Amino acid sequence: MDREDGYFPELGLTVAEPRIQRVDVLGVGISAIDMGMAVDEITRWIETAEQHYVCVTGVHGVMECQRDAELLEIHNESGLTTPDGMPMVWSARWAGQRQVRRVYGPDLMLALCRRAAERGWSSYFYGGNAGVPELLAERLQGRFPGLEIAGTHSPPYRELTEDEDRRIVEAINEAAPDIVWVGLSTPKQERWVARHAGRVHAPALIAVGAAFDF
């Protein structure tokens, strides 16, 4: 991993241990949450300047973690690894966490954008094909009047150079969003949010994948 938990005094951000309980699903710690709990927890990060990233994970993500130790670590060090799929929900309930409900990426985006419009938070959309993040931002603003868009960027499919990555980080930080939505393929998006926590200053980095297209 490229970051360490702790306090970033130059950013005014803290990366702290998450408070939400987890359920072990083949070694992956799935957060024992429903949608309201997810939104409230991310709200707390933003309002207390505590930085975390979010993985939205179903069966595919859990199986990828069986083959990739780094990806497993990324999921288990997240602020939230949401149960995106009924098998995750069933596993949590079998473990005694009866409150767990599916927290699907597109639904999480809508719920948080609704709250963002109410509280004046800004969002940055990173990922998708050319034109997709701009169209997504436009449609979300149409659905949630007052939603602030800090910026958008559609990166190339290839691996970025260090200089390209540095310039993207600088652009996001200059835009100063509260939430960075990351719509890349799995596991690329999970690696991105984990490696950029602490470099990107936003309190919430959320890997939502196909939510950009939906």
Side-chain angles (χ1 to χ4, degrees):
M1 302 293 293
D2 292 341
R3 67 167 180 83
E4 294 181 357
D5 289 351
Y7 178 55
F8 295 86
E10 70 279 13
L11 310 182
L13 290 171
T14 300
V15 177
E17 289 296 322
R19 306 187 309 168
I20 301 294
Q21 287 187 305
R22 302 225 178 186
V23 174
D24 188 318
V25 180
L26 297 179
V28 179
I30 301 296
S31 301
I33 54 173
D34 59 19
M35 184 63 72
M37 293 172 68
V39 172
D40 287 346
E41 179 68 355
I42 295 167
T43 296
R44 186 181 67 81
W45 304 347
I46 294 169
E47 293 186 345
T48 62
E50 182 178 302
Q51 189 186 63
H52 295 282
Y53 60 86
V54 177
C55 300
V56 177
T57 304
V59 171
H60 175 68
V62 169
M63 297 314 297
E64 286 291 324
C65 287
Q66 306 309 300
R67 298 184 284 269
D68 189 325
E70 182 191 36
L71 185 61
L72 176 64
E73 181 182 11
I74 287 169
H75 279 77
N76 287 339
E77 290 189 354
S78 68
L80 291 173
T81 292
T82 77
D84 181 16
M86 290 311 297
M88 305 298 102
V89 173
W90 297 330
S91 294
R93 291 180 181 175
W94 289 333
Q97 300 287 349
R98 306 299 301 176
Q99 77 282 5
V100 174
R101 301 289 185 276
R102 187 184 185 195
V103 180
Y104 179 46
D107 291 342
L108 178 62
M109 177 178 282
L110 293 176
L112 273 172
C113 284
R114 180 179 295 109
R115 182 160 293 185
E118 294 168 352
R119 303 204 178 190
W121 305 337
S122 62
S123 291
Y124 193 103
F125 296 91
Y126 179 82
N129 293 324
V132 167
E134 292 78 12
L135 180 59
L136 174 60
E138 179 184 333
R139 291 187 174 175
L140 287 169
Q141 284 183 311
R143 185 161 182 170
F144 305 109
L147 179 66
E148 294 186 21
I149 305 300
T152 61
H153 185 75
S154 179
Y157 282 112
R158 61 173 171 77
E159 190 74 21
L160 299 179
T161 67
E162 289 187 9
D163 186 60
E164 287 173 328
D165 185 65
R166 177 185 55 78
R167 284 189 278 112
I168 287 169
V169 169
E170 289 174 353
I172 295 173
N173 287 339
E174 185 175 351
D178 297 292
I179 303 172
V180 178
W181 299 98
V182 180
L184 306 172
S185 60
T186 297
K188 186 176 181 180
Q189 62 188 6
E190 288 80 13
R191 298 189 197 284
W192 194 95
V193 294
R195 291 172 179 172
H196 288 79
R199 294 180 59 207
V200 171
H201 300 177
L205 311 181
I206 307 179
V208 288
F212 273 44
D213 295 324
F214 294 162

